[in-house]
Amino acid sequence: LSAGTLGDVANLMGELSPGDIAHLISSSPPPFRHVLWQLLEPEQEADVLNELPDELRNVFLEEMQPEALADIVGKLDDDDVADILQELPDALTNQVLEVMDEQDRARIETVLGYSDDVAGGLMSTDTITVRADMKLEVVLRYLRRHAVLPENTDAVIVVNRKDQYVGLLPVRTLLVSDPGVSVREMMDTTRDPIPAMLPATEVARRFERNDWISAPVIDDDGALLGRITIDDIVDVIREEADHSLTSLARIGEEDTFSTVLHTAPRRAIWLGINLLTAFIASSVINLFQGTIEKVVALAVLMPIVASMGGIAGTQSLTVLVRGMAMGHINKRNEGWLIGREAMVGVLNGVLWASVVAVAASLWFDDWTLGFVIAAALIINLITAGVTGAVLPLILQRLSIDPALAGGVVLTTVTDVVGFLSFLGLATLFYM
Amino acid sequence: LSAGTLGDVANLMGELSPGDIAHLISSSPPPFRHVLWQLLEPEQEADVLNELPDELRNVFLEEMQPEALADIVGKLDDDDVADILQELPDALTNQVLEVMDEQDRARIETVLGYSDDVAGGLMSTDTITVRADMKLEVVLRYLRRHAVLPENTDAVIVVNRKDQYVGLLPVRTLLVSDPGVSVREMMDTTRDPIPAMLPATEVARRFERNDWISAPVIDDDGALLGRITIDDIVDVIREEADHSLTSLARIGEEDTFSTVLHTAPRRAIWLGINLLTAFIASSVINLFQGTIEKVVALAVLMPIVASMGGIAGTQSLTVLVRGMAMGHINKRNEGWLIGREAMVGVLNGVLWASVVAVAASLWFDDWTLGFVIAAALIINLITAGVTGAVLPLILQRLSIDPALAGGVVLTTVTDVVGFLSFLGLATLFYM
């Protein structure tokens, strides 16, 4: 990037939306990211920062002064501010809070009191509330006194004298109703509010199932604390789906353009864990050195049994982990699922065992070998199906993330069972 | 479920939202699903059907009469109707269209003209349009003439005499502005409309980046066709994320509670493809029968080299597939990414090769063996990193889905390179 093009890029960025600029920055390798950040107009910084992925945002934030930070957070919704402050070192967070005005600070502290994986941490305290006994024309006049309404205001919230949630008055209703009637007659009281401690994933499910744009958040006494809007829920859905993918692939949380020194250690841990389990599988093979020395074809064919078990197990595990993430799996249906996976294992085991038996027998001109590998394959595919289904259920009960730990334990089981059944049966028949 | 509890369930379902009922049905094993469906009140059917996943919805739809179907689709938004009709057999679709009234049919046919993976297929033609020269008080009176406004109406759309898109008048602006000013003064003309042929995933990205609730859709001449709302975009985001996960795990599109006979064949195909590649790996081992006969420890250790390569390659592949799905990867940064993956391969290769070298040497009391496995591991981890990065880029250029085909090709490469380098080097040193 020469000096001339830098100016062009700066002009271009002036015309893009904050989301597009954030996307441009996250699609650039690290060295260019700082250049792009420097080119931003100061008034764009707050919104762009808000759209950046967490890790990347922290890189820029840690380089800023508390005053500049306070200035930036002053322009954002409080749920977004809380999100940013939660990720910063405590000392810096306190410095930023000190330079904010009192009202802002009080609001931010309410949201900061909740972790960002429950409803309270996702909410904004910026709400418009009315009373049930107001006439709609009064509501309309009251709204008109605002310079701007909070973003995604699809409904005003109806509260009682104690500030407890009573119902919602959708803007769509407000716009088409007779101004002379009262809020009470037009409000929707069937919408359950969201308790502040409800997990974020459950909040996302309620939004998805009911096609909500925003929803009120209450505390244990029913008092209104704030509201959650769909833009933050879209992020929760994206992160939740991403979590299953990255966990099952053992990459952990990683940005597409993380540097080598950031990426290598995180992945090294998973490779190390895999190395341990691979040594366990090797020690199983080691038990059968004598058999392998006599029938070398066993060494040629044994990876087939292990690999087929690994794939079948991963299929089964992924269906369960995904079903769990979507909230489909519960005590009433888990027995049915385990049975289904076992049956799929039996059918696909018998199918591919027949093929492998014939192929192996012809290749090495040895029908005993064909029988042994077929039996081992059936045993391993059934084991894989059942383990892939039972394992995540057990891990969840032990409060271990099934997506993260599942794959490692599963391949250990399918490798060990695969080698043990294949080489064990071979020892019975050949020795 | 006895007769008494059936009544209770029916009462309970009467109080749930359509999304919750759809969730209850999809969380039930197949035999219970039909029972639950029978218990539904007729007026709930349309909305519940709309919230069900595609596959499950089709099961119920195919059992219905065209008249009942037409009755149901009459109650839904046209994008949802189009979505349903697109999945049905053509003959049935035509029967349903025939029994609809003319105006509904014309609207549905507009949406049906677009496939459901472009903007046109996601849109609803139910829009509220105004002219720029209207005063806001006229707009308010016009809105009040509607009994209900379309769902998620966060803005009215401003069009000219030729029905071409001009701008948006957000409801938030309408509510706080002086009723005497004109639409022209208050409308937002910075929002680009969405071309009808824009791919659904790109539409989803624009919504995500800009926190939109709804967006106008236009044809090539700029004429307004309809609008897309966030609830349909949430489904696109969910499906897109799910696609990477299920493809990489080789389960294809599968419902959590698919029956054995539905699940087994779909998974069998992937197991069969894996079997082919496993035979390729076996034939590489077969080349070195003589070496293995002499040094059986090679058979014990060889799965370690292949397995470490498989994990490292999957890590690299997943980062790339995920980056592609998020639209982060382009020609300018792919070189940087390949370099990063190669370097991560070098670092983690050297790290774990040292550990394995010492462990293997001590285990078999043979330092040559330690050197050979270390060298093979470094070669395989670098190959895995580079292949995991280059492969999806190549597959994409060949218009092959990288998530679907990537894993199979990758493990073939890491298995073949792993066995070849390990057994090949051993042959050099021992024979």
PDB file of all heavy atoms in Angstrom, chain B residues 361 366-373 429-430:
ATOM      1  N   SER B 361      12.115 -44.040  21.076  1.00  0.00           N
ATOM      2  CA  SER B 361      13.467 -44.574  21.260  1.00  0.00           C
ATOM      3  C   SER B 361      13.564 -45.350  22.565  1.00  0.00           C
ATOM      4  O   SER B 361      14.157 -46.436  22.624  1.00  0.00           O
ATOM      5  CB  SER B 361      14.494 -43.432  21.277  1.00  0.00           C
ATOM      6  OG  SER B 361      14.414 -42.704  20.080  1.00  0.00           O
ATOM      7  N   ASP B 366      15.694 -48.104  20.618  1.00  0.00           N
ATOM      8  CA  ASP B 366      16.210 -48.046  19.253  1.00  0.00           C
ATOM      9  C   ASP B 366      16.169 -46.574  18.806  1.00  0.00           C
ATOM     10  O   ASP B 366      15.103 -46.033  18.493  1.00  0.00           O
ATOM     11  CB  ASP B 366      15.312 -48.922  18.358  1.00  0.00           C
ATOM     12  CG  ASP B 366      15.720 -48.865  16.876  1.00  0.00           C
ATOM     13  OD1 ASP B 366      16.544 -47.995  16.507  1.00  0.00           O
ATOM     14  OD2 ASP B 366      15.192 -49.686  16.105  1.00  0.00           O
ATOM     15  N   TRP B 367      17.336 -45.899  18.784  1.00  0.00           N
ATOM     16  CA  TRP B 367      17.365 -44.466  18.469  1.00  0.00           C
ATOM     17  C   TRP B 367      17.120 -44.184  16.989  1.00  0.00           C
ATOM     18  O   TRP B 367      16.663 -43.100  16.625  1.00  0.00           O
ATOM     19  CB  TRP B 367      18.670 -43.818  18.963  1.00  0.00           C
ATOM     20  CG  TRP B 367      18.627 -43.732  20.471  1.00  0.00           C
ATOM     21  CD1 TRP B 367      19.056 -44.659  21.371  1.00  0.00           C
ATOM     22  CD2 TRP B 367      18.031 -42.666  21.240  1.00  0.00           C
ATOM     23  NE1 TRP B 367      18.787 -44.268  22.660  1.00  0.00           N
ATOM     24  CE2 TRP B 367      18.161 -43.040  22.613  1.00  0.00           C
ATOM     25  CE3 TRP B 367      17.405 -41.468  20.935  1.00  0.00           C
ATOM     26  CZ2 TRP B 367      17.693 -42.237  23.653  1.00  0.00           C
ATOM     27  CZ3 TRP B 367      16.960 -40.668  21.969  1.00  0.00           C
ATOM     28  CH2 TRP B 367      17.082 -41.051  23.311  1.00  0.00           C
ATOM     29  N   THR B 368      17.418 -45.176  16.100  1.00  0.00           N
ATOM     30  CA  THR B 368      17.110 -44.998  14.678  1.00  0.00           C
ATOM     31  C   THR B 368      15.597 -44.835  14.496  1.00  0.00           C
ATOM     32  O   THR B 368      15.120 -43.964  13.764  1.00  0.00           O
ATOM     33  CB  THR B 368      17.572 -46.231  13.867  1.00  0.00           C
ATOM     34  OG1 THR B 368      18.925 -46.502  14.214  1.00  0.00           O
ATOM     35  CG2 THR B 368      17.445 -45.992  12.379  1.00  0.00           C
ATOM     36  N   LEU B 369      14.842 -45.697  15.213  1.00  0.00           N
ATOM     37  CA  LEU B 369      13.392 -45.652  15.148  1.00  0.00           C
ATOM     38  C   LEU B 369      12.880 -44.267  15.569  1.00  0.00           C
ATOM     39  O   LEU B 369      11.995 -43.680  14.931  1.00  0.00           O
ATOM     40  CB  LEU B 369      12.809 -46.730  16.068  1.00  0.00           C
ATOM     41  CG  LEU B 369      11.323 -47.053  15.907  1.00  0.00           C
ATOM     42  CD1 LEU B 369      11.042 -47.585  14.517  1.00  0.00           C
ATOM     43  CD2 LEU B 369      10.899 -48.087  16.948  1.00  0.00           C
ATOM     44  N   GLY B 370      13.473 -43.740  16.643  1.00  0.00           N
ATOM     45  CA  GLY B 370      13.086 -42.408  17.129  1.00  0.00           C
ATOM     46  C   GLY B 370      13.340 -41.351  16.064  1.00  0.00           C
ATOM     47  O   GLY B 370      12.487 -40.480  15.807  1.00  0.00           O
ATOM     48  N   PHE B 371      14.491 -41.431  15.408  1.00  0.00           N
ATOM     49  CA  PHE B 371      14.813 -40.444  14.373  1.00  0.00           C
ATOM     50  C   PHE B 371      13.841 -40.556  13.197  1.00  0.00           C
ATOM     51  O   PHE B 371      13.333 -39.546  12.684  1.00  0.00           O
ATOM     52  CB  PHE B 371      16.253 -40.638  13.885  1.00  0.00           C
ATOM     53  CG  PHE B 371      16.554 -39.835  12.657  1.00  0.00           C
ATOM     54  CD1 PHE B 371      16.773 -38.460  12.742  1.00  0.00           C
ATOM     55  CD2 PHE B 371      16.569 -40.440  11.397  1.00  0.00           C
ATOM     56  CE1 PHE B 371      17.018 -37.712  11.607  1.00  0.00           C
ATOM     57  CE2 PHE B 371      16.804 -39.688  10.259  1.00  0.00           C
ATOM     58  CZ  PHE B 371      17.023 -38.320  10.358  1.00  0.00           C
ATOM     59  N   VAL B 372      13.565 -41.795  12.773  1.00  0.00           N
ATOM     60  CA  VAL B 372      12.679 -42.013  11.617  1.00  0.00           C
ATOM     61  C   VAL B 372      11.264 -41.474  11.887  1.00  0.00           C
ATOM     62  O   VAL B 372      10.685 -40.763  11.059  1.00  0.00           O
ATOM     63  CB  VAL B 372      12.625 -43.515  11.242  1.00  0.00           C
ATOM     64  CG1 VAL B 372      11.506 -43.791  10.239  1.00  0.00           C
ATOM     65  CG2 VAL B 372      13.966 -43.957  10.653  1.00  0.00           C
ATOM     66  N   ILE B 373      10.715 -41.783  13.071  1.00  0.00           N
ATOM     67  CA  ILE B 373       9.337 -41.335  13.334  1.00  0.00           C
ATOM     68  C   ILE B 373       9.283 -39.813  13.472  1.00  0.00           C
ATOM     69  O   ILE B 373       8.328 -39.161  13.033  1.00  0.00           O
ATOM     70  CB  ILE B 373       8.694 -42.048  14.553  1.00  0.00           C
ATOM     71  CG1 ILE B 373       7.175 -41.814  14.552  1.00  0.00           C
ATOM     72  CG2 ILE B 373       9.291 -41.592  15.871  1.00  0.00           C
ATOM     73  CD1 ILE B 373       6.407 -42.665  15.526  1.00  0.00           C
ATOM     74  N   PHE B 429      16.740 -46.837   6.228  1.00  0.00           N
ATOM     75  CA  PHE B 429      17.663 -47.002   7.352  1.00  0.00           C
ATOM     76  C   PHE B 429      17.861 -48.431   7.805  1.00  0.00           C
ATOM     77  O   PHE B 429      18.888 -48.772   8.357  1.00  0.00           O
ATOM     78  CB  PHE B 429      17.190 -46.151   8.547  1.00  0.00           C
ATOM     79  CG  PHE B 429      17.534 -44.710   8.397  1.00  0.00           C
ATOM     80  CD1 PHE B 429      16.689 -43.832   7.739  1.00  0.00           C
ATOM     81  CD2 PHE B 429      18.758 -44.224   8.896  1.00  0.00           C
ATOM     82  CE1 PHE B 429      17.018 -42.503   7.570  1.00  0.00           C
ATOM     83  CE2 PHE B 429      19.091 -42.894   8.734  1.00  0.00           C
ATOM     84  CZ  PHE B 429      18.221 -42.027   8.067  1.00  0.00           C
ATOM     85  N   TYR B 430      16.858 -49.297   7.576  1.00  0.00           N
ATOM     86  CA  TYR B 430      16.959 -50.663   8.113  1.00  0.00           C
ATOM     87  C   TYR B 430      17.313 -51.705   7.061  1.00  0.00           C
ATOM     88  O   TYR B 430      17.779 -52.767   7.395  1.00  0.00           O
ATOM     89  CB  TYR B 430      15.643 -51.083   8.785  1.00  0.00           C
ATOM     90  CG  TYR B 430      15.380 -50.397  10.106  1.00  0.00           C
ATOM     91  CD1 TYR B 430      14.421 -49.418  10.234  1.00  0.00           C
ATOM     92  CD2 TYR B 430      16.111 -50.770  11.249  1.00  0.00           C
ATOM     93  CE1 TYR B 430      14.170 -48.811  11.452  1.00  0.00           C
ATOM     94  CE2 TYR B 430      15.876 -50.162  12.477  1.00  0.00           C
ATOM     95  CZ  TYR B 430      14.901 -49.179  12.561  1.00  0.00           C
ATOM     96  OH  TYR B 430      14.661 -48.586  13.753  1.00  0.00           O
TER      97      TYR B 430
END
